[in-house]
Amino acid sequence: MKARIALLPGDGIGPEVCAEARRLLELVAAEGGHAFTLEEGQIGGCAIDATGDPLPAATVALCERSDAVLLGAVGGPKWSDPDAPVRPEQGLLRLRAQLGVFANLRPVAPHPAAIRLAPLRSRLLRGVDILFVRELTGGSYFGARRREADAAVDETRYSVAEIERVTRVAARLARQRRRRLTHVDKANVLETSRLWRSTVNRVMREEFPDIELEHVLVDAMAMHLLTRPARFDVVLTENLFGDILTDEASVLAGSMGLLPSASLGAGRVGLYEPIHGSAPDIAGRGIANPYATLLSVALLLRHSLGLTAEAERVERAVGAALDAGVLTADLSRRGAVSTRKAGEAVLDHYRHLARQAGR
Ligand code: IPM
Ligand code: MG
């Protein structure tokens, strides 16, 4: 097949992990006889330095003419002055809004090798397989903001339509999994949460009566995620709660360096990114974990290109590299490998699996 893929490496470790993603995409194309056009664009701090804008018009145009966008990470101490008028994160938020990718999928299923490394008891982690669906283009991230003389306001606003469409995405995914949906809110306090709760109830009753639905308050969820994570299947929540809970859930997977994400909308273009940040403390040293970005490539192959076999092969290749003990510094103190070595291991396993399947 033919596909255009935009690569936005961004800042910090972004370029290092995206270099491995590029190699993997080139290998997937070569092994499968696909023609991928890979084009790079700027976003975040590097784009501010080059153009003054964290999301230059050229980058938007590139993304809009692509089938999928793979992003590294944005931000860093150089641009982190909270009073600065332009910030790298604005580029990412504007891109999400521009592409209309309202459903952010963040799967958390700890690999056996990572279970040993996670700071939590392995007994708790066995059987954990959660798919977070975080609303991504609404709520306090996009509400009106203002500063008053001695106060500040961030508005949280959700429409029924915004809640309905992301609920449908989550429910359809639950149907392909264990048919359980946990909706997380703060309906005992927030009006937006009460609207979420009644809207989710109605959509699920009318369109998905076969899916088991529960509502959990976000504070309780923060606890349940660490005390009984294995009981959750699909978890649906609003933008800010989803941001916080998915960082918490990354502890279940052993490292932030292992978690990919896919952001999907009604349109064709999907946005794929590791959930970790730009990690300025280790940037430029070639030691960042590329697995979350490579797993994001798997999601890209599956959700934007429909290449299911290739996607599974990438996931198996990353699993095989973990099994073989090819671990970067976030996962291992002794004998940690470089970003390049970890990427190379995944490529080797991918090549092997592709040729095995071809025989
Ligand atoms: C994430 C990040 C972003 C967010 C930041 C960089 C704006 O934390 O993707 O989770 O808050 O959405
Ligand atoms: Mg976050």
Side-chain angles (χ1 to χ4, degrees):
M1 76 168 302
K2 274 194 186 152
R4 297 179 85 94
I5 301 165
L7 288 178
L8 311 182
D11 307 316
I13 60 171
E16 298 163 47
V17 293
C18 277
E20 300 311 318
R22 173 187 275 279
R23 289 193 174 94
L24 176 61
L25 282 165
E26 283 165 353
L27 177 66
V28 171
E31 291 291 332
H34 307 300
F36 294 164
T37 308
L38 306 175
E39 281 179 277
E40 282 200 18
Q42 288 178 326
I43 191 169
C46 63
I48 296 178
D49 287 351
T51 70
D53 183 350
L55 185 67
T59 301
V60 176
L62 164 65
C63 294
E64 285 182 335
R65 66 168 181 266
S66 301
D67 300 293
V69 180
L70 184 75
L71 186 138
V74 296
K78 183 172 172 197
W79 310 278
S80 67
D81 173 6
D83 292 324
V86 286
R87 299 168 49 79
E89 292 78 8
Q90 291 164 343
L92 178 56
L93 299 185
R94 274 168 49 203
L95 181 62
R96 290 172 178 171
Q98 183 76 31
L99 297 176
V101 287
F102 58 82
N104 180 224
L105 280 45
R106 297 186 166 187
V108 179
H111 185 273
I115 288 185
R116 287 193 298 278
L117 305 160
L120 298 171
R121 286 198 195 109
S122 45
R123 175 172 58 79
L124 279 175
L125 298 176
R126 267 191 290 276
V128 170
D129 181 1
I130 309 176
L131 177 59
F132 284 88
V133 178
R134 166 190 175 193
E135 200 290 329
L136 201 62
T137 52
S140 53
Y141 275 66
F142 293 92
R145 265 180 244 300
R146 64 175 190 278
R147 196 59 159 277
E148 296 167 358
D150 51 5
V153 181
D154 293 292
E155 189 185 65
T156 306
R157 184 188 178 83
Y158 269 110
S159 70
V160 169
E162 283 176 308
I163 302 167
E164 284 174 347
R165 64 185 184 179
V166 72
T167 300
R168 291 191 181 108
V169 170
R172 276 187 221 116
L173 289 163
R175 231 175 221 164
Q176 296 164 20
R177 296 169 46 100
R178 304 195 301 281
R179 290 179 180 256
R180 295 199 45 175
L181 182 67
T182 302
H183 166 244
V184 177
D185 65 20
K186 188 70 185 173
N188 53 349
V189 177
L190 301 177
E191 199 53 39
T192 44
S193 284
R194 288 191 274 270
L195 183 68
W196 267 84
R197 202 172 269 217
S198 61
T199 306
V200 169
N201 274 334
R202 177 176 47 75
V203 170
M204 296 306 292
R205 189 179 56 240
E206 288 173 359
E207 301 171 33
F208 302 92
D210 53 314
I211 309 284
E212 190 186 323
L213 171 67
E214 66 171 346
H215 302 279
V216 178
L217 295 171
V218 64
D219 49 349
M221 186 66 183
M223 180 182 67
H224 293 322
L225 269 181
L226 299 183
T227 52
R228 38 191 189 139
R231 66 179 281 272
F232 299 105
D233 180 10
V234 177
V235 175
L236 167 66
T237 191
E238 64 106 74
N239 205 342
L240 181 60
F241 297 160
D243 178 47
I244 299 166
L245 291 178
T246 52
D247 263 30
E248 184 190 357
S250 75
V251 179
L252 304 171
S255 168
M256 291 268 267
L258 293 174
L259 293 184
S261 83
S263 303
L264 310 172
R268 172 181 77 90
V269 189
L271 172 64
Y272 300 85
E273 41 175 329
I275 86 152
H276 62 68
S278 60
D281 51 323
I282 59 162
R285 291 168 53 197
I287 60 168
N289 186 342
Y291 293 156
T293 309
L294 301 179
L295 291 168
S296 299
V297 167
L299 296 181
L300 181 157
L301 295 168
R302 176 176 297 123
H303 294 287
S304 279
L305 308 188
L307 296 175
T308 315
E310 279 87 343
E312 275 165 18
R313 204 170 289 150
V314 169
E315 284 160 353
R316 285 178 58 201
V318 172
L322 283 167
D323 281 337
V326 183
L327 305 175
T328 41
D330 53 316
L331 292 170
S332 153
R333 251 178 249 282
R334 270 181 299 135
V337 304
S338 65
T339 307
R340 188 71 267 282
K341 272 269 181 313
E344 193 60 56
V346 174
L347 262 62
D348 285 344
H349 286 294
Y350 186 94
R351 205 176 284 114
H352 179 74
L353 289 167
R355 300 203 172 154
Q356 216 172 33
R359 270 201 294 274

Short mmCIF file of all heavy atoms in Angstrom, two decimals, residues 16-17 84 115 189 193 209 303 330:
data_model
loop_
_atom_site.label_atom_id
_atom_site.label_comp_id
_atom_site.label_asym_id
_atom_site.label_seq_id
_atom_site.Cartn_x
_atom_site.Cartn_y
_atom_site.Cartn_z
N GLU A 16 15.69 11.49 18.96
CA GLU A 16 16.40 10.21 19.12
C GLU A 16 15.44 9.03 18.96
O GLU A 16 15.75 8.04 18.29
CB GLU A 16 17.09 10.15 20.49
CG GLU A 16 18.15 11.24 20.65
CD GLU A 16 18.54 11.47 22.12
OE1 GLU A 16 18.79 10.49 22.84
OE2 GLU A 16 18.58 12.65 22.53
N VAL A 17 14.27 9.12 19.60
CA VAL A 17 13.34 7.99 19.50
C VAL A 17 12.68 7.95 18.12
O VAL A 17 12.39 6.87 17.60
CB VAL A 17 12.30 8.00 20.65
CG1 VAL A 17 12.99 7.74 21.98
CG2 VAL A 17 11.49 9.29 20.70
N ALA A 84 6.12 32.97 29.54
CA ALA A 84 6.43 33.18 28.12
C ALA A 84 5.14 33.21 27.31
O ALA A 84 4.22 32.44 27.57
CB ALA A 84 7.34 32.06 27.63
N ILE A 115 6.94 -6.46 34.23
CA ILE A 115 6.30 -6.73 35.52
C ILE A 115 7.36 -6.94 36.61
O ILE A 115 7.24 -6.44 37.72
CB ILE A 115 5.37 -7.97 35.42
CG1 ILE A 115 4.14 -7.60 34.60
CG2 ILE A 115 5.00 -8.50 36.80
CD1 ILE A 115 3.08 -8.67 34.52
N VAL A 189 -19.18 16.52 42.52
CA VAL A 189 -18.80 17.94 42.67
C VAL A 189 -19.02 18.76 41.40
O VAL A 189 -19.53 19.87 41.45
CB VAL A 189 -17.30 18.06 43.09
CG1 VAL A 189 -16.89 19.53 43.18
CG2 VAL A 189 -17.06 17.37 44.43
N SER A 193 -19.07 16.89 35.00
CA SER A 193 -19.08 15.45 35.26
C SER A 193 -20.51 14.90 35.28
O SER A 193 -20.76 13.79 34.83
CB SER A 193 -18.42 15.15 36.61
OG SER A 193 -17.02 15.23 36.51
N PRO A 209 -26.13 -1.75 24.80
CA PRO A 209 -26.67 -2.41 26.00
C PRO A 209 -25.89 -3.67 26.37
O PRO A 209 -25.99 -4.16 27.50
CB PRO A 209 -28.11 -2.76 25.59
CG PRO A 209 -28.10 -2.78 24.10
CD PRO A 209 -27.07 -1.78 23.68
N HIS A 303 -4.26 1.55 13.18
CA HIS A 303 -5.44 2.44 13.15
C HIS A 303 -5.50 3.36 11.92
O HIS A 303 -6.58 3.68 11.47
CB HIS A 303 -5.51 3.27 14.43
CG HIS A 303 -5.77 2.45 15.65
ND1 HIS A 303 -7.01 1.89 15.93
CD2 HIS A 303 -4.97 2.07 16.67
CE1 HIS A 303 -6.95 1.21 17.06
NE2 HIS A 303 -5.72 1.31 17.54
N ASP A 330 16.14 3.24 31.75
CA ASP A 330 14.94 3.41 32.58
C ASP A 330 14.46 2.06 33.11
O ASP A 330 13.71 2.02 34.09
CB ASP A 330 13.83 4.09 31.76
CG ASP A 330 13.54 3.36 30.46
OD1 ASP A 330 14.50 2.97 29.76
OD2 ASP A 330 12.36 3.17 30.14
#
